[in-house]
Amino acid sequence: MARRLGRIFRGFQSLGSLAFMKSELSNLPASVSLKSMVRALPSLFSSNPRDFSFPNSSWGTEMRQLYEHYNSQCEAVTDGGEEQGGLWNRLPSYNRSLKYAAGGVYLSKIIQAKARLFTRNIRDPGAAFEYVIFANKKEQRCVCIFQAGHLLEGPPGNVHGGAIATMIDTVTGTHACVHSGPVMTANLNINYRSPIPLGSTVLIESSLDKKEGRKTLVSCKVTSADGARLHTEATALFVSIGVSQLMKG
Amino acid sequence: MARRLGRIFRGFQSLGSLAFMKSELSNLPASVSLKSMVRALPSLFSSNPRDFSFPNSSWGTEMRQLYEHYNSQCEAVTDGGEEQGGLWNRLPSYNRSLKYAAGGVYLSKIIQAKARLFTRNIRDPGAAFEYVIFANKKEQRCVCIFQAGHLLEGPPGNVHGGAIATMIDTVTGTHACVHSGPVMTANLNINYRSPIPLGSTVLIESSLDKKEGRKTLVSCKVTSADGARLHTEATALFVSIGVSQLMKG
């Protein structure tokens, strides 16, 4: 069971201040890729979950172009079934908790059944968080393309500081667990430099600063899609946790 | 026009990384109370907006009891129409941007018309952020009662770190503008100490650290409803902005 859970966690994207994905890129046998683990995930759900990392009709031109830019450099499977290596991996993204999927009992049944990931809790495409995260194996960095919908308003016409913090937690947390396995957010330190207009597409780029024992430090910046305007800078500290801690109610 | 806008801003609760409320508690003539300004707000909207700071059927026992505790110490109007002073003020909370209400043109018409405050963007009562903020005039502090719904999930069964950051930004931002007028979030530094279970009610208490020129510093802690368990600690830095900056697109 523990081994099975371990495999499940490796394929999961960050779920807020806990993060579940461990690619173990350097430790894995050559025959097991992050992508193949990720492909096995949907079968864990009772019904086929939607992977929100794929384009939808709400994505604007900038979002689509940036997606194509990174997606074209991802691992691919040829017609002959062979895997071709790539610089990047597109990370899948679901709206349901692992624990619910695994049938765990940790809260009232009502809350448990209805729980949804904060960043994926609104069904209307384009209304809230539209994003996709790519991980770069060699360069120890991640990039997220984020299109901010009209339901994320804070200052008139601009994205709420909390929505920006949410995406920073998501991207840096995903990055931390790509590198270190299951982690929990310990600190977020965010400097807001310029507002992000509602409806715009921005890039969130994270880089690994260091890993010391159970601590993983990631830094991050949010810029306009062309990289010309700096919106936000942040550092994030994550602490590794065991699977047993993860499953506690 | 500028004067009218100034009056509008004074009555508004924090809208994320910008905040609009200025009580000017020490500067106001005795005849003008924060509460009377706040009461005048709904007429600015084309239809009567819902004030989300009032109790609804989704509020649990803890949320209701804490609400009554603070609400019973608020300013009140007697049957004879006289205002009775109180230690606290309940701050109203709407789901629409001031700029939209004022008919400003700053984005595409579609986004502008559909924009909603991030913390109030889900209609289903109890599903996401249920909260009410009270401001204490004499003690330079605010308290927020926050019940976390099932759509705020991060780690399985617990609230997303970004949702916690969102509430911290909201409470400290509201506090900063109660004290300093229109401000913008410059920094949030958040330490996550223990997870917040989905469905639980917590207290978010903010206190004013200092004001230096355009800077207002507020610190904040999130605890269990009984105050026994510390969930999160944070500091926040806000920078005062002018009305003209606020209205820029």
Side-chain angles (χ1 to χ4, degrees), chain B residues 19-102:
Chain B
F20 302 101
M21 189 168 55
K22 185 168 189 176
S23 70
E24 296 181 306
L25 295 164
S26 55
N27 303 332
L28 284 173
S31 60
V32 181
S33 72
L34 173 61
K35 197 153 188 180
S36 65
M37 289 191 296
V38 154
R39 266 192 226 112
L41 276 172
S43 62
L44 298 168
F45 295 89
S46 53
S47 59
N48 270 348
R50 176 179 163 198
D51 180 351
F52 290 84
S53 69
F54 287 112
N56 66 56
S57 61
S58 79
W59 288 20
T61 307
E62 275 183 328
M63 183 89 180
R64 286 180 179 274
Q65 286 176 343
L66 285 164
Y67 175 85
E68 286 305 328
H69 173 76
Y70 290 100
N71 199 49
S72 65
Q73 299 174 66
C74 282
E75 286 184 355
V77 180
T78 65
D79 292 339
E82 286 177 22
E83 287 198 359
Q84 291 186 326
L87 272 178
W88 296 89
N89 267 309
R90 189 194 69 247
L91 307 182
S93 177
Y94 305 101
N95 71 351
R96 298 172 73 181
S97 156
L98 168 67
K99 198 150 182 179
Y100 175 61

XYZ file of all heavy atoms in Angstrom, chain B residues 19-102:
663
model
N -6.538 48.615 -1.516
C -7.542 48.704 -0.467
C -8.095 50.121 -0.461
O -7.379 51.074 -0.710
C -6.912 48.356 0.869
N -9.364 50.220 -0.174
C -10.047 51.479 -0.447
C -10.679 52.174 0.735
O -11.286 53.217 0.571
C -11.161 51.245 -1.459
C -10.661 50.680 -2.717
C -10.781 49.335 -2.979
C -10.015 51.489 -3.628
C -10.291 48.812 -4.142
C -9.525 50.967 -4.790
C -9.661 49.623 -5.053
N -10.645 51.579 1.857
C -11.388 52.176 2.943
C -10.530 53.127 3.756
O -9.416 52.801 4.138
C -11.947 51.101 3.848
C -12.904 51.674 4.855
S -13.778 50.361 5.628
C -12.402 49.436 6.196
N -11.044 54.290 3.989
C -10.352 55.221 4.873
C -11.337 55.709 5.909
O -12.269 56.425 5.612
C -9.800 56.400 4.078
C -8.967 57.322 4.949
C -8.193 58.319 4.139
C -7.206 59.058 5.025
N -6.372 59.978 4.259
N -11.147 55.281 7.099
C -12.091 55.738 8.117
C -11.680 57.101 8.634
O -12.513 57.891 9.043
C -12.137 54.744 9.264
O -10.932 54.798 9.981
N -10.388 57.383 8.581
C -9.887 58.657 9.123
C -10.499 58.919 10.487
O -11.038 59.999 10.753
C -10.225 59.797 8.165
C -9.543 59.654 6.826
C -9.874 60.818 5.895
O -11.050 61.088 5.682
O -8.931 61.462 5.414
N -10.401 57.912 11.300
C -11.135 57.958 12.561
C -10.797 59.183 13.392
O -11.638 59.748 14.070
C -10.863 56.670 13.338
C -11.403 55.427 12.630
C -10.796 54.162 13.216
C -12.912 55.385 12.699
N -9.537 59.582 13.344
C -9.153 60.722 14.172
C -9.436 62.055 13.471
O -9.564 63.082 14.118
C -7.656 60.626 14.509
O -6.918 60.517 13.303
N -9.553 62.029 12.142
C -9.705 63.287 11.405
C -11.146 63.684 11.150
O -11.439 64.827 10.864
C -9.008 63.177 10.036
C -7.549 62.821 10.192
O -6.949 63.151 11.207
N -6.973 62.154 9.208
N -12.046 62.724 11.204
C -13.425 63.006 10.824
C -14.117 63.899 11.844
O -13.868 63.795 13.035
C -14.212 61.692 10.732
C -13.949 60.837 9.507
C -14.665 59.504 9.666
C -14.430 61.553 8.261
N -15.006 64.753 11.355
C -15.835 65.486 12.312
C -16.695 64.501 13.092
O -17.022 63.428 12.598
C -16.708 66.376 11.419
C -16.579 65.836 10.041
C -15.290 65.094 9.981
N -17.033 64.879 14.301
C -17.730 63.949 15.186
C -19.052 63.469 14.599
O -19.520 62.376 14.897
C -17.979 64.613 16.536
N -19.636 64.271 13.720
C -20.956 63.920 13.206
C -20.892 62.867 12.093
O -21.904 62.344 11.676
C -21.651 65.176 12.665
O -20.856 65.731 11.623
N -19.698 62.571 11.565
C -19.572 61.618 10.457
C -18.910 60.344 10.968
O -17.737 60.335 11.295
C -18.725 62.198 9.299
C -18.644 61.189 8.157
C -19.321 63.513 8.819
N -19.653 59.275 11.059
C -19.075 58.027 11.536
C -18.777 57.123 10.360
O -19.346 57.257 9.279
C -20.053 57.329 12.483
O -21.139 56.815 11.737
N -17.864 56.192 10.591
C -17.556 55.186 9.571
C -18.846 54.467 9.175
O -19.116 54.224 8.015
C -16.547 54.187 10.144
C -16.229 52.963 9.285
C -15.625 53.366 7.953
C -15.258 52.044 10.029
N -19.636 54.187 10.176
C -20.849 53.415 9.918
C -21.835 54.179 9.026
O -22.458 53.607 8.142
C -21.523 53.056 11.240
C -22.526 51.945 11.087
C -22.692 51.173 12.358
C -23.562 49.956 12.117
N -23.742 49.180 13.326
N -21.926 55.479 9.239
C -22.881 56.229 8.414
C -22.392 56.314 6.973
O -23.182 56.282 6.039
C -23.113 57.628 8.997
O -21.927 58.392 8.929
N -21.069 56.388 6.776
C -20.550 56.394 5.413
C -20.827 55.050 4.750
O -21.199 54.967 3.585
C -19.042 56.658 5.430
C -18.698 58.084 5.801
S -16.971 58.451 5.507
C -16.185 57.350 6.661
N -20.609 54.018 5.508
C -20.785 52.669 5.004
C -22.236 52.425 4.588
O -22.519 51.797 3.582
C -20.319 51.666 6.090
C -21.014 50.325 5.964
C -18.802 51.528 6.041
N -23.151 52.986 5.352
C -24.567 52.802 5.057
C -24.961 53.418 3.727
O -25.897 52.988 3.077
C -25.414 53.458 6.163
C -25.800 52.488 7.254
C -26.857 53.112 8.150
N -26.513 52.881 9.545
C -26.157 53.816 10.392
N -26.101 55.079 10.028
N -25.848 53.508 11.623
N -24.225 54.442 3.311
C -24.585 55.157 2.090
C -24.146 54.411 0.829
O -24.553 54.735 -0.270
C -23.937 56.543 2.101
N -23.327 53.370 1.008
C -22.728 52.718 -0.155
C -23.686 52.044 -1.126
O -23.542 52.205 -2.335
C -21.687 51.701 0.306
C -20.315 52.284 0.581
C -19.440 51.227 1.214
C -19.699 52.809 -0.694
N -24.650 51.266 -0.650
C -25.463 50.498 -1.601
C -26.104 51.344 -2.689
O -26.324 50.876 -3.789
C -26.507 49.833 -0.693
C -25.802 49.689 0.614
C -24.970 50.942 0.722
N -26.392 52.612 -2.405
C -27.050 53.447 -3.404
C -26.153 53.711 -4.609
O -26.616 54.160 -5.650
C -27.474 54.767 -2.772
O -26.327 55.464 -2.322
N -24.869 53.448 -4.496
C -23.951 53.655 -5.609
C -24.095 52.578 -6.673
O -23.636 52.720 -7.790
C -22.501 53.662 -5.103
C -22.177 54.786 -4.122
C -20.835 54.534 -3.469
C -22.174 56.112 -4.853
N -24.683 51.465 -6.323
C -24.836 50.369 -7.272
C -26.173 50.481 -7.988
O -27.146 51.000 -7.443
C -24.758 49.019 -6.550
C -23.414 48.767 -5.939
C -23.141 49.190 -4.645
C -22.423 48.123 -6.657
C -21.909 48.967 -4.083
C -21.187 47.905 -6.092
C -20.917 48.317 -4.804
N -26.210 49.933 -9.203
C -27.448 50.023 -9.971
C -28.538 49.159 -9.334
O -29.705 49.482 -9.384
C -27.205 49.587 -11.409
O -26.600 48.313 -11.422
N -28.166 48.055 -8.758
C -29.124 47.249 -8.022
C -28.574 47.068 -6.615
O -27.405 47.294 -6.372
C -29.309 45.892 -8.700
O -28.067 45.218 -8.764
N -29.423 46.648 -5.711
C -28.968 46.492 -4.335
C -27.971 45.356 -4.235
O -28.324 44.199 -4.472
C -30.154 46.201 -3.415
C -30.741 47.490 -2.866
O -30.140 48.557 -2.992
N -31.912 47.389 -2.278
N -26.738 45.642 -3.895
C -25.762 44.559 -3.785
C -25.941 43.826 -2.463
O -26.409 44.404 -1.481
C -24.431 45.296 -3.806
C -24.729 46.609 -3.168
C -26.156 46.943 -3.537
N -25.558 42.578 -2.467
C -25.616 41.809 -1.234
C -24.407 42.147 -0.371
O -23.281 42.193 -0.866
C -25.600 40.315 -1.585
C -25.551 39.434 -0.357
C -25.561 37.960 -0.722
N -25.108 37.189 0.426
C -24.669 35.939 0.365
N -24.634 35.313 -0.783
N -24.264 35.321 1.450
N -24.653 42.377 0.893
C -23.554 42.569 1.837
C -23.226 41.216 2.452
O -24.002 40.672 3.238
C -23.957 43.574 2.910
C -22.847 43.821 3.922
O -21.832 43.088 3.886
O -22.987 44.745 4.735
N -22.052 40.680 2.069
C -21.675 39.325 2.473
C -21.198 39.230 3.918
O -20.826 38.151 4.364
C -20.580 38.784 1.541
C -21.052 38.479 0.155
C -21.124 39.472 -0.800
C -21.438 37.197 -0.191
C -21.563 39.192 -2.094
C -21.876 36.899 -1.475
C -21.941 37.905 -2.429
N -21.168 40.357 4.615
C -20.692 40.298 6.000
C -21.799 39.873 6.969
O -21.536 39.661 8.147
C -20.110 41.653 6.428
O -21.136 42.624 6.532
N -23.023 39.734 6.466
C -24.123 39.258 7.317
C -24.148 37.727 7.362
O -23.768 37.076 6.384
C -25.471 39.778 6.791
C -25.676 41.245 7.035
C -25.703 42.134 5.971
C -25.854 41.729 8.319
C -25.890 43.495 6.189
C -26.048 43.088 8.543
C -26.057 43.970 7.478
N -24.644 37.171 8.460
C -24.716 35.701 8.575
C -25.607 35.092 7.492
O -26.552 35.723 7.034
C -25.354 35.487 9.961
C -25.053 36.730 10.726
C -25.067 37.841 9.709
N -25.263 33.873 7.061
C -26.148 33.123 6.175
C -26.247 31.682 6.698
O -25.573 31.306 7.659
C -25.658 33.186 4.718
C -24.334 32.486 4.512
O -24.187 31.300 4.829
N -23.356 33.208 3.985
N -27.087 30.905 6.032
C -27.420 29.566 6.541
C -26.234 28.611 6.565
O -26.288 27.566 7.221
C -28.545 28.957 5.693
O -28.090 28.830 4.354
N -25.166 28.958 5.858
C -24.002 28.057 5.835
C -23.100 28.225 7.059
O -22.214 27.408 7.289
C -23.165 28.307 4.572
O -22.349 29.458 4.729
N -23.312 29.294 7.790
C -22.419 29.546 8.924
C -22.650 28.519 10.024
O -23.779 28.311 10.475
C -22.636 30.957 9.483
C -22.116 32.050 8.607
C -21.833 31.970 7.265
C -21.834 33.404 8.991
N -21.398 33.190 6.798
C -21.381 34.089 7.826
C -21.911 34.111 10.185
C -21.017 35.428 7.849
C -21.548 35.450 10.207
C -21.097 36.103 9.055
N -21.578 27.930 10.498
C -21.654 26.959 11.581
C -21.760 27.638 12.935
O -21.749 28.878 13.053
N -21.846 26.823 13.959
C -22.041 27.340 15.314
C -20.905 28.272 15.744
O -21.144 29.365 16.277
C -22.124 26.158 16.312
O -23.119 25.255 15.846
C -22.503 26.646 17.697
N -19.666 27.866 15.489
C -18.525 28.701 15.907
C -18.549 30.057 15.218
O -18.296 31.092 15.826
C -17.204 27.993 15.596
C -16.778 27.025 16.676
C -15.430 26.393 16.387
O -15.121 26.192 15.199
O -14.700 26.104 17.343
N -18.819 30.029 13.919
C -18.869 31.269 13.130
C -19.948 32.200 13.674
O -19.722 33.399 13.863
C -19.152 30.875 11.678
C -19.165 31.999 10.685
S -17.537 32.332 9.966
C -17.942 33.708 8.864
N -21.130 31.640 13.965
C -22.232 32.446 14.471
C -21.946 33.004 15.858
O -22.234 34.160 16.161
C -23.522 31.617 14.528
C -24.113 31.373 13.170
C -25.384 30.548 13.213
N -25.890 30.385 11.864
C -26.680 31.259 11.250
N -27.086 32.335 11.883
N -27.076 31.064 10.013
N -21.375 32.170 16.714
C -21.092 32.626 18.076
C -20.050 33.743 18.081
O -20.182 34.739 18.805
C -20.626 31.449 18.937
C -21.771 30.504 19.318
C -21.314 29.296 20.091
O -20.115 28.976 20.100
N -22.249 28.588 20.718
N -19.013 33.587 17.264
C -17.985 34.627 17.209
C -18.552 35.908 16.607
O -18.236 37.019 17.045
C -16.777 34.129 16.402
C -15.903 33.115 17.145
C -14.980 32.371 16.179
C -15.063 33.831 18.216
N -19.389 35.746 15.586
C -20.042 36.917 14.984
C -20.840 37.667 16.046
O -20.735 38.892 16.174
C -20.946 36.471 13.836
C -21.759 37.585 13.225
C -21.222 38.389 12.223
C -23.065 37.845 13.649
C -21.963 39.416 11.660
C -23.807 38.874 13.092
C -23.255 39.651 12.096
O -23.977 40.673 11.546
N -21.643 36.942 16.805
C -22.475 37.590 17.829
C -21.617 38.271 18.887
O -21.943 39.346 19.374
C -23.413 36.565 18.495
C -24.574 36.131 17.602
C -25.400 37.313 17.082
O -25.518 38.321 17.802
O -25.892 37.232 15.938
N -20.509 37.624 19.215
C -19.600 38.189 20.222
C -19.135 39.592 19.813
O -19.173 40.527 20.613
C -18.390 37.266 20.409
C -17.333 37.830 21.293
N -17.458 37.883 22.678
C -16.126 38.396 21.006
C -16.374 38.449 23.188
N -15.556 38.770 22.199
N -18.696 39.732 18.560
C -18.196 41.028 18.121
C -19.333 41.973 17.726
O -19.289 43.171 17.994
C -17.191 40.863 16.968
C -15.906 40.237 17.431
C -15.651 38.884 17.230
C -14.950 40.992 18.106
C -14.470 38.307 17.684
C -13.773 40.425 18.562
C -13.537 39.083 18.351
O -12.379 38.513 18.801
N -20.364 41.406 17.083
C -21.456 42.256 16.608
C -22.192 42.929 17.769
O -22.663 44.066 17.639
C -22.428 41.431 15.763
C -23.287 42.300 14.878
O -22.781 43.180 14.172
N -24.595 42.093 14.929
N -22.263 42.218 18.899
C -22.956 42.790 20.051
C -22.182 43.964 20.651
O -22.724 44.727 21.454
C -23.167 41.703 21.119
O -21.906 41.264 21.612
N -20.941 44.110 20.264
C -20.136 45.232 20.767
C -19.970 46.331 19.717
O -19.094 47.176 19.813
C -18.750 44.730 21.183
C -18.776 43.684 22.297
C -17.391 43.138 22.547
O -16.497 43.852 22.996
N -17.192 41.865 22.245
N -20.791 46.269 18.660
C -20.695 47.268 17.592
C -21.559 48.481 17.882
O -22.469 48.440 18.711
C -21.137 46.664 16.259
S -19.879 45.617 15.504
N -21.296 49.543 17.114
C -22.168 50.715 17.148
C -23.575 50.281 16.790
O -23.774 49.411 15.944
C -21.708 51.747 16.123
C -20.462 52.493 16.521
C -20.120 53.577 15.490
O -20.801 53.658 14.467
O -19.158 54.305 15.735
N -24.543 50.884 17.418
C -25.922 50.513 17.133
C -26.777 51.762 17.054
O -26.435 52.815 17.595
C -26.451 49.589 18.222
N -27.868 51.648 16.322
C -28.838 52.742 16.251
C -30.057 52.334 17.070
O -30.632 51.265 16.867
C -29.261 53.009 14.784
C -30.269 54.157 14.739
C -28.046 53.325 13.937
N -30.435 53.169 18.029
C -31.573 52.843 18.906
C -32.891 53.047 18.162
O -32.916 53.607 17.065
C -31.577 53.739 20.164
O -31.793 55.089 19.728
C -30.267 53.640 20.918
N -33.975 52.605 18.768
C -35.294 52.795 18.164
C -35.584 54.278 17.946
O -36.304 54.653 17.030
C -36.384 52.164 19.052
C -36.279 50.644 19.063
O -35.665 50.103 18.114
O -36.800 50.011 19.995
N -35.028 55.095 18.802
C -35.230 56.525 18.670
C -34.329 57.183 17.633
O -34.342 58.396 17.477
N -33.508 56.354 16.923
C -32.654 56.886 15.861
C -31.307 57.403 16.346
O -30.527 57.940 15.557
N -31.034 57.223 17.637
C -29.739 57.695 18.139
C -28.659 56.639 17.961
O -28.913 55.449 18.124
C -29.852 58.025 19.636
C -30.609 59.318 19.909
C -30.756 59.544 21.403
O -29.951 58.976 22.170
O -31.680 60.277 21.800
N -27.448 57.096 17.648
C -26.335 56.160 17.504
C -25.687 55.921 18.857
O -25.399 56.859 19.597
C -25.291 56.699 16.524
C -25.755 56.631 15.087
C -24.604 56.730 14.093
O -23.445 56.872 14.527
O -24.875 56.661 12.887
N -25.500 54.659 19.174
C -24.789 54.321 20.399
C -23.406 53.809 20.027
O -23.283 52.916 19.184
C -25.563 53.248 21.166
C -26.873 53.766 21.753
C -27.550 52.741 22.627
O -27.465 51.551 22.365
N -28.218 53.198 23.681
N -22.404 54.378 20.642
C -21.029 53.999 20.306
C -20.730 52.563 20.691
O -21.386 51.978 21.557
N -19.762 51.964 20.038
C -19.365 50.604 20.351
C -17.870 50.460 20.126
O -17.244 51.306 19.499
N -17.322 49.385 20.666
C -15.893 49.145 20.491
C -15.553 48.781 19.059
O -14.483 49.084 18.555
C -15.455 47.987 21.394
C -15.021 48.302 22.813
C -14.687 47.009 23.536
C -13.814 49.242 22.800
N -16.474 48.073 18.394
C -16.179 47.505 17.088
C -17.109 48.045 16.002
O -18.197 48.496 16.277
C -16.335 45.972 17.141
C -15.359 45.299 18.047
C -15.516 45.053 19.383
C -14.071 44.802 17.693
N -14.399 44.415 19.879
C -13.503 44.250 18.862
C -13.332 44.759 16.509
C -12.232 43.662 18.870
C -12.068 44.173 16.517
C -11.534 43.639 17.691
N -16.632 47.935 14.761
C -17.470 48.186 13.593
C -17.431 46.970 12.688
O -16.335 46.485 12.353
C -16.937 49.385 12.796
C -17.603 50.672 13.206
O -18.821 50.758 13.243
N -16.790 51.662 13.524
N -18.593 46.488 12.288
C -18.609 45.417 11.277
C -18.444 46.072 9.914
O -19.150 47.015 9.568
C -19.933 44.646 11.313
C -19.921 43.395 10.433
C -21.296 42.804 10.185
N -22.066 43.691 9.339
C -23.146 44.349 9.735
N -23.604 44.190 10.952
N -23.780 45.172 8.917
N -17.497 45.586 9.130
C -17.230 46.199 7.831
C -18.018 45.465 6.748
O -17.988 44.240 6.674
C -15.731 46.152 7.528
C -14.833 46.728 8.632
C -13.373 46.672 8.211
C -15.227 48.170 8.968
N -18.709 46.190 5.889
C -19.496 45.526 4.841
C -18.574 44.921 3.780
O -17.393 45.263 3.705
C -20.313 46.675 4.246
C -19.468 47.879 4.462
C -18.738 47.650 5.766
N -19.118 44.033 2.970
C -18.301 43.333 1.988
C -19.142 42.981 0.770
O -20.148 42.282 0.881
C -17.753 42.051 2.642
O -17.014 41.293 1.724
N -18.729 43.489 -0.395
C -19.480 43.275 -1.634
C -18.645 42.457 -2.628
O -17.451 42.254 -2.430
C -19.887 44.621 -2.241
C -20.658 45.471 -1.253
C -20.040 46.523 -0.560
C -21.987 45.186 -0.971
C -20.749 47.276 0.371
C -22.698 45.936 -0.038
C -22.070 46.977 0.622
O -22.762 47.711 1.545
N -19.285 42.027 -3.700
C -18.551 41.196 -4.653
C -18.268 41.912 -5.972
O -17.887 41.287 -6.947
C -19.306 39.880 -4.917
C -20.567 40.079 -5.732
O -20.977 41.211 -5.965
N -21.172 38.983 -6.162
N -18.460 43.228 -5.968
C -18.235 43.951 -7.212
C -17.264 45.088 -7.002
O -17.208 45.718 -5.949
C -19.558 44.489 -7.744
C -20.514 43.366 -8.061
C -21.881 43.884 -8.413
N -21.903 44.506 -9.729
C -23.011 45.055 -10.244
N -24.123 45.077 -9.547
N -22.988 45.592 -11.439
N -16.526 45.351 -8.053
C -15.500 46.378 -7.983
C -16.111 47.764 -7.964
O -17.105 48.045 -8.624
C -14.600 46.252 -9.206
O -13.971 47.460 -9.475
N -15.466 48.618 -7.213
C -15.869 50.012 -7.156
C -15.890 50.638 -8.543
O -16.790 51.375 -8.902
C -14.878 50.767 -6.284
C -14.984 52.285 -6.340
C -16.304 52.721 -5.730
C -13.828 52.910 -5.613
N -14.882 50.313 -9.327
C -14.745 50.996 -10.610
C -15.904 50.651 -11.534
O -16.405 51.486 -12.276
C -13.429 50.607 -11.261
C -13.032 51.584 -12.348
C -11.550 51.663 -12.476
C -11.136 52.666 -13.517
N -9.686 52.749 -13.611
N -16.316 49.387 -11.452
C -17.474 48.984 -12.247
C -18.711 49.719 -11.758
O -19.497 50.246 -12.540
C -17.675 47.468 -12.152
C -18.912 47.002 -12.839
C -19.083 47.200 -14.207
C -19.939 46.396 -12.127
C -20.225 46.793 -14.842
C -21.089 45.985 -12.763
C -21.227 46.184 -14.124
O -22.367 45.781 -14.738
N -18.837 49.781 -10.449
C -20.001 50.450 -9.873
C -20.042 51.915 -10.296
O -21.095 52.482 -10.522
C -19.964 50.337 -8.355
N -18.866 52.530 -10.404
C -18.795 53.935 -10.753
C -18.826 54.150 -12.264
O -18.781 55.274 -12.733
C -17.522 54.544 -10.160
